């Protein structure tokens, strides 16, 4: 029987197998940030265990950083302490850190791919569930807890039970105005938030083959929102072109060797998946969520479904929405374009394209938070900053920002926010805040109109 | 890590599905650099009103419910990988969480902190919730060795699954770091082959 993309990468990294137990999996790259690493550093220190391979670790500060005045000392004492601790831990252990203000600083899942740290065929982990993003390159990448961060520190390996395999196929032609974010929100709305639990997902079909690397990252990023530990897309010419020429990418002959290997990774034709789903691209439309988990999504033109389930009703009560209601015309006061899902240059280009020559509605606070310093630089150099600023949008400095609202970027209680992030959980963007997940296009259109509009009419 | 062998205790019924780790411990409490103190903020925004007063309607604040076992709805622990969620549950005093389904990362984090996730059938979960809601003094027994959960004084028991390796770890209080360090030679050999 043939092997899947996942099998090929996994098998190449198994150091040892425990009978009736997990595999010892070798980790090629370990990404860390300030929030989920300090307890792991402490644990090793307390037990007198050295960090096995500091050269395979890259650190950034992103979750708990301000998005204004990054050149000044961080105001919040606890946050400042957490950032200092990361600096100290990296220095003591010889770990590369792209801290606040560094030209390579950014959200871990934006900066690592753009620096060429992420490469096909790798195993990658980070104490963050959206590590699944890097699967866009055909890497096995997944989020881990802090105990596991400590395990990788100690051994450069992880004990992992091999997950089951799942493939999601989307074929056909996407409609105008349908973005990668809509594709993944659509998939999750159809399959639910726990359909992928216990599985590693592969996305296949011409829709993903034709997507840019940015789009593929958006899709793989949200794999965890259907419960899958990770999502992958077979590396192809688009992947190789993206990787080529980046700071940490291989060059010359080494690159050619690597590409030859990466080309062998695609799933064999006779491989069998434990679970497989297929969707038609034509059925997908711009999406919005109406509830408090990412599976509660509808096409922007649809109405909120009817259900008497207790948790469903609790969710609608939190959102202050009613069954059978349409979201079109809902007044919105906050728009957030950012997060590891949608803060890459392509996302800002889509938004700028819509915004150009228009003015944001006066009721709207529109926050744009680039995923990295490099994206911020591109926004400036490519003239997008001017478009956004003259439309009244607020361009902030890179970081996770209002996606999880650990810093001051919080949505006030009771307010709706149309957000390009990945989670609409209760209180995710601030206590009592109500999140509506959407693509950068829907977010930009909402900012201009001050309400949710049917973008399908606009783009056609 | 603390050992887990057997537990007999009363339980708290939280019959909500898709409880994500942002509810278990909101992000604004993740600024600490050690593992202590998260129990105070467990389910913070459900336990307390915005002004800091106690939300009497939330089950953890019902005086009749006590115990170190939490019974929760389907898909418990979904969302963020934050291990702070497991630390918060352990910090509050929980030793076992029962659900009909757990999110992957949460399950691993719980096991790495001596908190036993017991996955039962939907039918058994509903039975447990009903028993405990009707009689808060209902004692539940969990035996890890036999991988069995039962309501004391009844014949209603169910077997549960656990990774055999993790079972040994919990029964003995071992953790994965000890195990991985014992594989050092094999890891070195693998690295040399790269």
């Amino acid at each position: 029987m043939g092997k899947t993309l996942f099998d090929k990468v996994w098998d190449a990294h198994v150091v040892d197998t425990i009978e009736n137990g997990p595999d010892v999996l070798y980790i090629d790259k370990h990404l860390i940030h300030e929030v989920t690493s300090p307890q792991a550093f402490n644990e090793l220190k307390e037990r007198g265990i050295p960090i096995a391979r500091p050269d395979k670790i890259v650190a950034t500060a992103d979750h708990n950083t301000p998005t204004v005045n990054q050149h000044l000392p961080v105001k919040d004492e606890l946050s400042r302490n957490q950032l200092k601790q990361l600096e100290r831990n990296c220095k003591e252990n010889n770990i590369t850190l792209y801290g606040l203000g560094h030209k390579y600083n950014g959200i871990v899942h934006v900066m690592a791919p753009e620096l060429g740290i992420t490469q096909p065929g790798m195993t990658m982990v980070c104490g963050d569930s959206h590590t699944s993003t890097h699967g866009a390159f055909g890497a096995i990448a997944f989020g881990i807890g802090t105990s596991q961060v400590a395990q990788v520190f100690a051994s450069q390996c992880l004990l992992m039970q091999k997950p089951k395999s799942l493939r999601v196929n989307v074929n056909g032609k996407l409609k105008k105005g349908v973005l990668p974010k809509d594709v993944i929100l659509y998939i999750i709305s159809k399959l639910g938030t726990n359909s992928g639990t216990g599985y590693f997902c592969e996305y296949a079909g011409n829709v993903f083959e034709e997507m840019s690397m940015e789009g593929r990252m958006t899709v793989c990023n949200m794999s965890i929102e259907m419960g899958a530990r990770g999502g992958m897309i077979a590396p192809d010419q688009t992947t190789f072109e993206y990787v080529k020429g980046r700071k940490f990418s291989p060059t010359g002959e080494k690159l050619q060797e690597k590409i030859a290997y990466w080309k062998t990774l695609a799933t064999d034709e006779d491989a069998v998946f434990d679970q497989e789903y297929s969707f038609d691209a034509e059925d997908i439309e711009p999406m919005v969520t109406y509830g408090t988990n990412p599976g509660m999504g509808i096409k922007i033109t649809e109405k909120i479904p009817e259900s008497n389930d207790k948790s469903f009703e609790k969710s609608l009560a939190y959102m202050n929405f009613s069954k059978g209601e349409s979201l079109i015309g809902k007044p919105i006061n906050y728009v957030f374009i950012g997060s590891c899902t949608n803060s890459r240059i392509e996302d800002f280009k889509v938004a700028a394209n819509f915004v150009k020559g228009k003015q944001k509605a006066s009721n709207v606070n529109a926050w744009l938070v680039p995923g990295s310093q490099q994206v911020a630089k591109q926004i400036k150099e490519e003239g997008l900053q001017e478009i956004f600023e003259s439309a009244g949008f607020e361009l902030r400095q890179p970081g996770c920002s209002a996606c999880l609202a650990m810093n001051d970027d919080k949505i006030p209680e009771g307010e709706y926010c149309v957000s390009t992030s990945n989670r609409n959980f209760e209180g995710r963007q601030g206590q009592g805040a109500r999140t509506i997940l959407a693509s950068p296009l829907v977010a930009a259109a909402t900012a201009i109109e001050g309400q949710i509009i049917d973008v399908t009419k606009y783009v056609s | 890590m603390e050992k887990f062998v057997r537990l007999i205790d009363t339980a708290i019924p939280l019959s909500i599905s898709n409880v994500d780790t942002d509810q278990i411990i909101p992000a604004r409490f993740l600024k600490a650099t050690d593992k202590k103190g998260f129990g105070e903020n467990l389910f913070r925004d459900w336990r307390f009103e915005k002004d800091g007063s106690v939300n009497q309607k939330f089950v953890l604040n019902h005086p009749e419910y006590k115990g170190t076992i939490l019974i929760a709805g389907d898909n418990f622990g979904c969302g963020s990988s934050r291990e702070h969620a497991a630390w918060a549950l352990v910090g509050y005093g929980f030793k076992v969480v029962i659900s009909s389904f757990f999110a992957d990362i949460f399950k691993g984090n719980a096991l790495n902190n001596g908190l036993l996730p017991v996955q039962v059938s939907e039918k058994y979960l509903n039975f447990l919730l009903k028993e405990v809601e009707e009689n808060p003094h209902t004692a539940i027994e969990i035996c890890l060795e036999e991988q069995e959960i039962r309501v004391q004084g009844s014949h209603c028991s169910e077997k549960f699954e656990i990774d055999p390796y993790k079972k040994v770890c919990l029964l003995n209080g071992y953790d994965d770091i000890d195990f991985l360090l014992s594989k050092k030679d094999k890891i070195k050999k693998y690295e040399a082959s790269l």
Side-chain angles (χ1 to χ4, degrees):
Chain A
M1 197 177 69
K3 281 180 159 193
T4 65
L5 162 65
F6 177 81
D7 289 334
K8 292 180 190 180
V9 180
W10 180 278
D11 293 351
H13 290 85
V14 174
V15 172
D16 200 10
T17 301
I18 306 166
E19 219 188 310
N20 293 321
D23 286 343
V24 177
L25 190 73
Y26 194 79
I27 302 302
D28 293 322
K29 274 284 173 268
H30 186 189
L31 308 170
I32 63 169
H33 61 85
E34 74 276 23
V35 177
T36 56
S37 69
Q39 292 88 349
F41 279 112
N42 291 348
E43 174 149 10
L44 259 70
K45 210 170 179 177
E46 281 161 22
R47 293 167 73 161
I49 303 168
I51 300 224
R53 293 295 300 266
D55 57 320
K56 290 186 180 283
I57 308 171
V58 178
T60 185
D62 57 0
H63 278 65
N64 195 6
T65 52
T67 54
V68 288
N69 293 325
Q70 288 187 349
H71 61 290
L72 297 177
V74 175
K75 272 195 243 159
D76 178 74
E77 194 190 335
L78 287 173
S79 306
R80 194 170 63 237
N81 178 42
Q82 202 171 47
L83 292 165
K84 275 202 175 136
Q85 187 131 342
L86 178 71
E87 252 174 63
R88 208 162 41 229
N89 283 331
C90 289
K91 204 170 169 196
E92 279 173 13
N93 293 289
N94 245 332
I95 293 167
T96 304
L97 164 67
Y98 299 126
L100 204 55
H102 191 284
K103 66 174 175 173
Y104 297 144
N105 174 259
I107 304 176
V108 60
H109 313 309
V110 177
M111 54 75 76
E114 75 188 6
L115 288 174
I117 294 168
T118 305
Q119 291 168 26
M122 277 185 167
T123 47
M124 301 178 73
V125 293
C126 174
D128 185 281
S129 61
H130 293 111
T131 308
S132 57
T133 310
H134 309 266
F137 291 78
I140 290 182
F142 54 90
I144 55 176
T146 298
S147 293
Q148 292 176 306
V149 172
Q151 290 165 32
V152 182
F153 278 168
S155 65
Q156 202 54 37
C157 287
L158 205 55
L159 284 166
M160 275 285 281
Q161 196 78 251
K162 190 174 177 179
K164 289 182 281 184
S165 61
L166 159 72
R167 181 160 62 185
V168 175
N169 305 289
V170 186
N171 283 295
K173 195 172 167 9
L174 289 177
K175 288 180 185 161
K176 243 182 147 181
V178 174
L179 300 185
K181 180 65 164 286
D182 300 308
V183 174
I184 189 63
L185 281 174
Y186 177 82
I187 293 170
I188 302 167
S189 78
K190 291 291 170 201
L191 301 182
T193 50
N194 62 10
S195 57
T197 309
Y199 293 90
F200 224 87
C201 178
E202 180 176 340
Y203 301 96
N206 73 291
V207 163
F208 304 110
E209 285 161 19
E210 289 158 18
M211 258 182 207
S212 66
M213 286 316 294
E214 284 87 349
R216 294 179 189 184
M217 283 190 254
T218 299
V219 170
C220 290
N221 172 277
M222 289 192 72
S223 304
I224 186 70
E225 310 312 336
M226 57 176 177
R229 202 74 187 259
M232 302 172 89
I233 294 172
D236 59 10
Q237 208 49 44
T238 307
T239 323
F240 311 147
E241 289 302 325
Y242 182 98
V243 171
K244 217 186 312 184
R246 295 184 184 265
K247 184 171 166 63
F248 294 105
S249 300
T251 52
E253 225 170 276
K254 186 84 195 155
L255 177 67
Q256 292 317 312
E257 263 173 46
K258 285 274 186 192
I259 289 177
Y261 168 62
W262 295 341
K263 281 182 175 169
T264 68
L265 292 176
T267 293
D268 296 331
E269 263 181 41
D270 55 343
V272 179
F273 286 79
D274 295 314
Q275 186 65 260
E276 191 149 7
Y277 302 100
S278 294
F279 298 102
D280 287 331
E282 286 83 359
D283 290 339
I284 309 175
E285 281 182 25
M287 299 286 294
V288 282
T289 61
Y290 59 87
T292 57
N293 72 58
M296 300 174 84
I298 47 175
K299 293 173 185 172
I300 203 162
T301 51
E302 279 178 334
K303 293 188 164 72
I304 295 175
E306 308 267 347
S307 164
N308 295 325
D309 176 79
K310 212 167 103 185
S311 299
F312 180 89
E313 286 177 341
K314 181 178 185 292
S315 192
L316 284 199
Y318 180 87
M319 293 299 291
N320 197 24
F321 286 152
S322 313
K323 298 172 192 174
E325 195 181 11
S326 164
L327 295 197
I328 290 175
K330 282 271 169 203
I332 303 291
N333 294 337
Y334 287 84
V335 167
F336 171 63
I337 302 182
S339 88
C340 58
T341 314
N342 283 120
S343 65
R344 298 178 181 85
I345 190 65
E346 190 177 277
D347 303 316
F348 292 104
K349 280 184 186 163
V350 166
N353 206 19
F354 187 92
V355 165
K356 198 171 183 177
K358 302 188 184 86
Q359 274 296 314
K360 78 162 179 69
S362 57
N363 60 310
V364 173
N365 294 284
W367 296 344
L368 303 164
V369 181
S372 69
Q373 291 285 357
Q374 301 223 75
V375 173
K377 198 168 150 231
Q378 268 175 292
I379 288 176
K380 204 171 184 176
E381 286 170 359
E382 296 183 22
L384 308 186
Q385 183 168 350
E386 221 183 287
I387 296 172
F388 287 129
E389 282 177 353
S390 50
F393 284 56
E394 189 185 338
L395 182 62
R396 302 172 81 103
Q397 289 172 298
C400 297
S401 181
C403 172
L404 82 165
M406 252 192 102
N407 65 1
D408 291 338
D409 306 351
K410 296 184 201 315
I411 308 302
E413 187 173 12
E415 290 285 356
Y416 292 107
C417 177
V418 170
S419 174
T420 66
S421 54
N422 40 56
R423 286 184 175 140
N424 48 351
F425 297 152
E426 281 184 31
R428 173 80 178 182
Q429 296 196 288
Q431 271 179 281
R434 295 166 172 148
T435 303
I436 297 166
L437 301 176
S439 75
L441 173 64
V442 171
T446 305
I448 298 299
E449 299 295 332
Q451 56 176 313
I452 297 179
I453 60 157
D454 180 3
V455 284
T456 57
K457 279 187 192 150
Y458 190 92
V459 291
S460 59
Chain B
M1 195 174 71
E2 256 189 72
K3 286 184 192 181
F4 186 102
V5 181
R6 177 190 292 269
L7 178 75
I8 303 170
D9 203 357
T10 51
I12 301 177
L14 178 67
S15 60
I16 300 170
S17 48
N18 296 313
V19 174
D20 59 77
T21 53
D22 270 84
Q23 307 317 315
I24 300 173
I25 183 88
R28 64 185 187 280
F29 300 114
L30 307 186
K31 296 178 181 179
T33 52
D34 59 25
K35 298 180 185 177
K36 292 185 213 101
F38 291 106
E40 285 168 37
N41 295 313
L42 174 72
F43 295 121
R44 175 76 202 196
D45 295 339
W46 287 350
R47 265 167 76 202
F48 299 97
E49 302 290 354
K50 217 183 166 192
D51 64 8
S53 63
V54 173
N55 173 11
Q56 301 293 356
K57 281 186 270 176
F58 187 57
V59 70
L60 259 68
N61 296 325
H62 291 186
E64 65 268 35
Y65 292 117
K66 289 191 177 69
T68 55
I69 301 170
L70 180 70
I71 311 176
D74 200 51
N75 200 24
F76 186 81
C78 57
S80 156
S81 61
R82 60 188 69 164
E83 195 159 318
H84 310 67
W87 300 332
L89 286 160
V90 171
Y92 188 83
F94 286 113
K95 295 194 164 88
V96 168
V97 186
I98 302 167
S99 174
S100 51
F101 199 88
F102 290 96
D104 270 344
I105 307 181
F106 173 79
K107 195 198 254 178
N109 289 342
L111 288 165
N112 283 333
N113 287 279
L115 175 70
L116 182 66
V118 176
Q119 188 164 325
V120 296
S121 66
E122 217 176 297
K123 197 176 155 204
Y124 198 73
L125 179 77
N126 290 331
F127 159 73
L128 283 179
L129 284 168
K130 194 165 165 274
E131 285 289 305
V132 173
E133 278 166 3
E134 280 173 8
N135 177 12
H137 300 293
T138 305
I140 297 170
E141 178 179 355
I142 292 120
C143 177
L144 179 56
E145 187 70 63
E146 288 164 30
Q147 294 177 224
E148 193 172 61
I149 172 167
R150 67 166 64 243
V151 170
Q152 281 226 310
S154 86
H155 296 293
C156 299
S157 65
E158 195 172 271
K159 291 274 183 191
F160 62 87
E161 295 290 318
I162 184 169
D163 178 307
Y165 162 80
K166 274 294 172 195
K167 181 176 172 180
V168 174
C169 288
L170 276 176
L171 287 171
N172 297 288
Y174 297 158
D175 77 8
D176 291 350
I177 292 185
D178 300 323
F179 184 85
L180 284 166
L181 290 176
S182 75
K183 296 281 172 189
K184 224 174 185 170
D185 292 345
K186 285 203 167 165
I187 298 170
K188 285 266 168 271
K189 219 169 121 188
Y190 176 88
E191 283 182 326
S193 75
L194 292 177

